Amino acid sequence: MSSELLAPLDLAFWHLETTDHPMHLGALAHFGPAADEPAAQLQLLSRRAAAIPRLRMRVRDVLLPVGGAAWRTDPDFDVRRHVRHVALPGTDFATEAALLAGELMERPLERGRPPWEMYLLTGGPDGSFAVLVKLHHALADGMRAVAIGAGIFDEIAAARTTRTTRRRAVPPRSWMPGPRQLAGVARSRIEELGRAVGVGASVVRASRLDPRGGHAALAADSSGTRRVATVVLDLERVHAVRRAAGGTANDVLLATVAGALRRWLADRGEPLPGADPRALVPVSRRRPGAPPDSGNRLSAYLVGLPVTEPDPAARLAAVREAMDRNKAAGPMRGAGAVAVLADQLHPLAHRFGAPIASGAARMLFDLLVTNVPLPRSALSLGGAPLRALFPMAPLARGQALAVAMSPYGGQMHIGLVADGKAVPDLAELAAGLAEELSELETWAGG
């Protein structure tokens, strides 16, 4: 039976979860017309999911290290417990799918089984359908989730069945480390500890003394409810603004989120916050071109979203300046790199410290805004083309909103996840994203 220890950050996510505060991420994928009946589609989806080794593993405690846990292949794995079919009325399929996604994202994953679920949603016009995927954050970060979930697509499944792997022979090595290896390990450990101390000091300096955190509209006691909304933006319009302003497409998208929040607060009749809300922007620690190995490999940047600035061009300039400062410092420095601290903690600290740490997120940031890349090639499931894929990020405890984005097919697909009680008007916030991009585009064209 294969076994693999949970990485420190995975262990942290596993223990941060409570019944009313699930720690899974997800994606809602929309496909064009299906050639097969729902029963055949469900069978195909089940077969593809069962063929992904990572989805056959569950979490089990281990004796050593004390407080640790490991991924182990589930001897009783039954894919039928994880893949289900839901037929929607189909009067407004996109809206119905988003509403159901919110309801399903409320439900914690069963911890005694491999922590994932998939739902085939049928009833779309002309035979179109959707697939909702839920993966526990301990199982994957955004990039790893894409690598795991991509196994259901025709193109990836075909490549997996035809690919042959050749490994170069590696000469045997002694289990006894030599002096140079010992020196290298010690030097690396000292560097890691020094980096952690620096990040810890930055976190303390950046933390707000008020434990309730920033603006009330973005803070919420966890109600256990979830609401989901989706938005599609034209990537060419995003790039048109980028070309006019400089910076990156992600800068434009962050400024768009800031402007949408400003519009949303105004529509609610709420005052603007005294200080700009902070966004935590995850950054992958994986090396470019490296395989998406198991475990979460994340750092992040902290960015103030300038909702108090009335001029959209000035908002974009402020975001670009903040992101440039973050990039100059690098993803392993500053308070946003709080995730790297997990690597320095003993498993017992994650097990017993998670309930204390879980409420501290809003002392550091107000919402999560993440950009998850997808394969650039066209994808399909059972011959049905992928039309859109909306990622969904988990909510930090005490926070009301998370924004996730993925580019595909010349469009930016945005999934918003909110606490259903704190943000019943999530659709209005979603509409504000499109309106804000239009305003930025008008400025860029002028």
Side-chain angles (χ1 to χ4, degrees):
M1 181 183 297
S2 61
S3 180
E4 172 194 337
L5 285 176
L6 267 71
L9 190 54
D10 302 346
L11 196 61
F13 286 136
W14 189 248
H15 290 306
L16 281 171
E17 182 173 69
T18 62
T19 303
D20 64 345
H21 185 69
M23 283 299 296
H24 49 255
L25 43 79
L28 180 62
H30 285 265
F31 295 88
D36 297 320
E37 295 297 316
Q41 293 176 263
L42 187 67
Q43 186 178 30
L44 174 64
L45 187 61
S46 299
R47 186 170 65 250
R48 296 265 175 90
I52 300 172
R54 195 69 180 173
L55 297 184
R56 304 177 70 92
M57 305 187 82
R58 62 181 180 178
V59 176
R60 282 291 181 263
D61 291 341
V62 296
L63 293 176
L64 293 174
V66 177
W71 292 108
R72 291 180 177 169
T73 302
D74 184 358
D76 301 317
F77 176 76
D78 184 348
V79 73
R80 292 173 297 180
R81 297 173 176 170
H82 299 267
V83 182
R84 302 176 178 89
H85 172 221
V86 179
L88 297 176
T91 52
D92 186 350
F93 186 73
T95 300
E96 292 163 5
L99 287 172
L100 180 61
E103 295 175 9
L104 294 175
M105 291 295 284
E106 293 177 4
R107 306 176 187 176
L109 294 161
E110 188 169 336
R111 293 171 75 88
R113 299 174 180 170
W116 65 275
E117 293 174 350
M118 291 186 189
Y119 293 85
L120 172 67
L121 312 180
T122 59
D126 303 322
S128 60
F129 64 98
V131 174
L132 173 67
V133 181
K134 290 170 56 178
L135 298 172
H136 199 285
H137 209 340
L139 183 66
D141 56 22
M143 290 186 66
R144 177 65 176 166
V146 170
I148 293 173
I152 69 170
F153 294 116
D154 298 338
E155 296 75 12
I156 310 301
R160 186 175 59 231
T161 56
T162 59
R163 182 175 60 239
T164 57
T165 303
R166 297 181 180 180
R167 296 184 178 181
R168 292 183 299 174
V170 179
R173 298 176 62 182
S174 170
W175 66 271
M176 287 287 290
R180 291 185 180 179
Q181 290 175 292
L182 285 173
V185 169
R187 184 167 52 251
S188 175
R189 184 61 176 162
I190 291 172
E191 290 174 352
E192 289 176 358
L193 289 173
R195 184 185 303 119
V197 169
V199 171
S202 297
V203 169
V204 171
R205 289 194 298 269
S207 296
R208 295 172 287 217
L209 296 179
D210 184 353
R212 293 171 298 178
H215 198 277
L218 296 175
D221 294 329
S222 297
S223 69
T225 61
R226 293 292 181 269
R227 192 173 293 266
V228 169
T230 60
V231 183
V232 178
L233 301 180
D234 187 335
L235 263 179
E236 178 52 37
R237 297 173 63 197
V238 173
H239 286 297
V241 177
R242 174 192 59 79
R243 288 191 291 268
T248 68
N250 205 47
D251 295 342
V252 177
L253 292 165
L254 286 169
T256 301
V257 172
L261 287 172
R262 180 183 172 87
R263 291 169 181 270
W264 176 62
L265 291 172
D267 289 343
R268 279 185 157 201
E270 296 193 20
L272 293 175
D276 290 329
R278 294 172 178 169
L280 188 74
V281 181
V283 180
S284 176
R285 292 161 57 194
R286 302 182 193 277
R287 295 179 180 177
D293 54 353
S294 61
N296 281 271
R297 300 285 296 167
L298 291 173
S299 184
Y301 295 140
L302 272 183
V303 182
L305 297 180
V307 301
T308 56
E309 171 57 57
D311 180 33
R315 283 197 293 270
L316 177 53
V319 166
R320 179 185 175 188
E321 182 180 350
M323 287 298 289
D324 285 347
R325 285 197 304 269
N326 278 318
K327 292 171 187 175
M332 301 299 289
R333 298 182 180 221
V338 63
V340 305
L341 297 178
D343 294 338
Q344 310 304 322
L345 298 179
H346 191 276
L348 281 174
H350 290 302
R351 184 178 291 269
F352 296 110
I356 300 173
S358 63
R362 59 177 159 182
M363 295 178 66
L364 189 62
F365 64 97
D366 298 286
L367 73 159
L368 180 77
V369 183
T370 184
N371 195 326
V372 182
L374 294 178
R376 295 185 178 182
S377 58
L379 299 171
S380 59
L381 176 60
L386 176 66
R387 289 177 171 174
L389 191 149
F390 302 99
M392 291 176 285
L395 289 181
R397 178 172 289 279
Q399 296 182 344
L401 177 67
V403 181
M405 304 177 277
S406 284
Y408 179 76
Q411 296 177 319
M412 182 61 70
H413 302 101
I414 303 177
L416 297 93
V417 177
D419 183 283
K421 184 176 179 180
V423 190
D425 53 347
L426 186 62
E428 285 74 9
L429 177 56
L433 290 165
E435 294 168 0
E436 182 63 20
L437 180 60
S438 295
E439 186 163 346
L440 281 169
E441 191 178 25
T442 299
W443 163 79

